[in-house]
Amino acid sequence: MTATAPVAERPAKEPKQPKRPQRFNEGTGRLAALLLSPTLLVLGLVVLFPIISALRESLFTSGTTLDSNGFIVKGSTFVGLDNYLDIFKGDTGRRFWNAFYNTTFFTVVCVVLETVLGVAMALIMHKAFKGRGIVRASILVPWAIPTVVSALLWKWIFQADGIANQLIGTQVLWSTEGWQSKMSVIIADTWKTAPFIGLLVLAGLQTIPAEVYEAAKVDGASVWKTFTRITLPLVKPALLVAVLFRILDTLRIFDLPFVLVGPHKDSVETLSMLAYDEAFNTRYGPAAAYATVLFVYVAVVAYAFVKILGADVIGEARAKKPGGGAGGKRWRKKNAAKGTSDAAVGAVTVGGGR
Amino acid sequence: MAAVAPQPAEAGPLRRWAPLAGVAVIVIYCLAPFYWMAVSAFRRPSDQFSNKIIPAPFSIQNFKDVFAGSNGFGRGLLNSLIVAGTVTILTLIIGMVAAYTLARLDFKLKNVVLAIIITTSMFPGISLVIPLLKLFIDIKWINTYQAMIVPSLSFALPLAVWNLTSFFRQMPQELEQAAMVDGCTPAQAFRKVIIPLAAPGVFTTAIITFIAAWNEFLIALSMTNKKSIQTANVIISQFTGTTGRDQPFGSQMAAGVVVTIPLVIAVLLFQRRIVAGLTAGGVK
């Protein structure tokens, strides 16, 4: 049968061949599915399965039996939404809101600082004709250093009798509880990622044609006006994507506060650390509930960001693009997803510890 | 920041020197903490708390401690290399096929598939790690390499697919068509024409993936509790030091230097490529 089948099929297939020279990408749906399946399979296994499993897990609570390794053996009971309700109650509630506040605080402060510094750096690098190679190489150094190592590095700098205190002539106990430990996390995170935003913005700046600036000069625009009316709008797509991914990264911040200040510190405990702590203590149900809450939070922020700011990017992109108006909403929607996902996705995911 | 803006014509020297000064500030900003790590690593353990800019008696004692001690740091480096290396190779093999498909074939839902792949890199690591941790406990994968490698694919693979897709897109489609006119099958065209030409892009993706996997911490921390299997990052974070000091910063800094130096060298050598890879697709 295997031998005859191809012979039998052939005549039926032949006439369907198009007359023009065969192109590579014809009738390739099945081939595409086949070629994409390994990737989708892996991602299904390491992303989709855990997410669904976490949702399920968050509805259960596990018993307290431990095996010799300290891991739970068996005995989970269905508790419905109790894990979620418990999050907001009593002492756990206080811990959760504190972690929620810290996560949000770090995200807002770090991302704002990093964006401002990053844009400033990009502008300087764009202006500088000499030393660009050096600056590019050195800007990649903080990015390449593992977050854990940079956390230790800053811990050392922020030692009681370390260099930071000597430089500013104080005796701040940085990596203890309190505002100063928050500060130390913010400084370390900003150091590591601001140059990176700078790099992405610089790439955006380099696509702006010089004529635009010449025209502005002819029209007598001031420096500030040129910056706000020309530079900013034109680098906005690149900038927004960098900012979006920094936001997503900072929302799931874990390694930096975990190593720099340490676990169980109220002033720097983030949602990721809280979930990790629960899981580490084999309370998988609550841990999964915390992780799910974080996951939803990240999704909501990302969606809001694309909706509010992303729409703006698209508006400009559409104005620039001839014939872009015709597609209307559909075009806009497609590009809202694309414009933001397109740019520098890979890039920024490398940037931070998640 | 004021130095950034183009200066009015009369400010000649300022206009010339301000950007250079700015560059100097950026370089110092980026490198000073790194310099401090290196310098601290080269102090004698007894001078650990000295704040001199240059280590007075230069010493490599910290490095000796790191490798000689009971830290298992050498083993950690090897583990890191195994995990990050395997992640990179697996990612490239799987990702290249997907990226080529996304860049070249026309099919329905192409953008949806691409969007889904990219979205998967945005999930918080912790919400993936907890269920996988439970699963790996059940199937006895805790303290194995695969327990660290498999979850790492969740960020490495989308990243690689994304980067490679944009590299493949930049290559003219006529390449394969010419090869096929000459009698190649699509698979042959891919193997004999595209892969060799895409080598720089693949190499760039490999570096970026490797750096990302090398820097991974949360997964490695969660999936292991035995020293012999932990990666360098986890081991450094849990250093107790050879002499039992409370905070063995000297050896931690030395270990940090050891972990970072290969990456810094790679960054210096391939900075152009890395920048191209990082900004791929970010700007047209």
Side-chain angles (χ1 to χ4, degrees), chain A residues 240 304-316 332 335-336 340:
Chain A
L240 282 185
F305 189 86
V306 170
K307 260 290 179 233
I308 296 167
L309 290 166
D312 221 76
V313 190
I314 299 345
E316 271 164 25
R332 182 190 283 214
N335 280 271
T340 36

Side-chain angles (χ1 to χ4, degrees), chain A residues 37-340:
Chain A
S37 56
T39 299
L40 294 178
L41 200 71
V42 169
L43 290 178
L45 181 74
V46 295
V47 179
L48 191 66
F49 162 76
I51 294 283
I52 293 171
S53 172
L55 284 173
R56 192 191 150 274
E57 188 67 31
S58 66
L59 304 176
F60 286 81
T61 184
S62 25
T64 44
T65 37
L66 303 174
D67 69 7
S68 52
N69 290 325
F71 290 121
I72 283 274
V73 192
K74 243 179 218 145
S76 37
T77 33
F78 181 77
V79 292
L81 293 175
D82 279 7
N83 285 329
Y84 290 96
L85 295 176
D86 284 347
I87 285 178
F88 305 102
K89 270 197 309 216
D91 207 38
T92 6
R94 200 200 53 75
R95 207 174 160 204
F96 167 77
W97 285 116
N98 176 56
F100 184 82
Y101 167 78
N102 284 341
T103 307
T104 314
F105 179 79
F106 283 142
T107 305
V108 172
V109 176
C110 289
V111 173
V112 168
L113 274 177
E114 285 158 17
T115 309
V116 172
L117 274 177
V119 170
M121 284 181 184
L123 289 170
I124 292 172
M125 289 185 282
H126 193 53
K127 278 276 165 285
F129 296 103
K130 281 180 201 161
R132 239 188 215 179
I134 297 172
V135 99
R136 275 186 163 202
S138 57
I139 237 177
L140 285 170
V141 167
W143 167 79
I145 294 181
T147 315
V148 174
V149 174
S150 80
L152 288 171
L153 161 61
W154 283 99
K155 193 175 186 170
W156 173 229
I157 290 176
F158 286 133
Q159 265 305 88
D161 43 4
I163 188 76
N165 277 341
Q166 194 186 319
L167 283 178
I168 54 175
T170 55
Q171 278 297 317
V172 178
L173 294 172
W174 290 93
S175 37
T176 52
E177 286 277 12
W179 63 268
Q180 64 274 37
S181 56
K182 274 198 180 70
M183 277 272 286
S184 64
V185 170
I186 289 168
I187 291 172
D189 192 58
T190 307
W191 171 72
K192 189 166 161 54
T193 50
F196 192 71
I197 292 191
L199 189 69
L200 293 184
V201 174
L202 175 65
L205 282 175
Q206 284 168 344
T207 60
I208 303 176
E211 294 86 45
V212 182
Y213 286 108
E214 280 159 25
K217 218 175 187 178
V218 170
D219 290 344
S222 69
V223 170
W224 178 247
K225 268 223 162 117
T226 313
F227 176 68
T228 51
R229 298 281 176 84
I230 294 175
T231 310
L232 267 191
L234 287 177
V235 293
K236 212 171 160 193
L239 181 62
L240 282 185
V241 171
V243 169
L244 172 64
F245 282 90
R246 277 312 305 150
I247 291 177
L248 298 185
D249 256 355
T250 326
L251 283 175
R252 56 195 181 197
I253 189 168
F254 176 82
D255 345 17
L256 192 58
F258 187 84
V259 176
L260 176 55
V261 183
H264 301 290
K265 295 277 177 83
D266 271 356
S267 44
V268 295
E269 188 168 64
T270 64
L271 286 174
S272 279
M273 289 165 78
L274 186 55
Y276 172 82
D277 192 46
E278 291 289 292
F280 193 70
N281 288 307
T282 66
R283 290 191 291 271
Y284 295 108
Y290 283 122
T292 307
V293 170
L294 173 62
F295 165 63
V296 171
Y297 187 37
V298 169
V300 167
V301 170
Y303 181 78
F305 189 86
V306 170
K307 260 290 179 233
I308 296 167
L309 290 166
D312 221 76
V313 190
I314 299 345
E316 271 164 25
R318 197 162 52 141
K320 272 189 297 183
K321 211 158 193 156
K329 233 179 184 164
R330 226 187 84 114
W331 195 89
R332 182 190 283 214
K333 237 179 165 176
K334 210 169 112 193
N335 280 271
K338 245 186 104 189
T340 36

Side-chain angles (χ1 to χ4, degrees), chain B residues 13 19 21 37 43 51 55 114 136-137 144 149 160 175 177 188 234 269 284:
Chain B
M37 175 163 79
R43 280 189 225 286
N51 280 338
L114 193 56
F136 291 166
I137 291 170
T144 59
I149 291 166
L175 287 172
Q177 286 167 358
Q188 279 174 329
V234 177
L269 284 180
K284 274 181 227 147

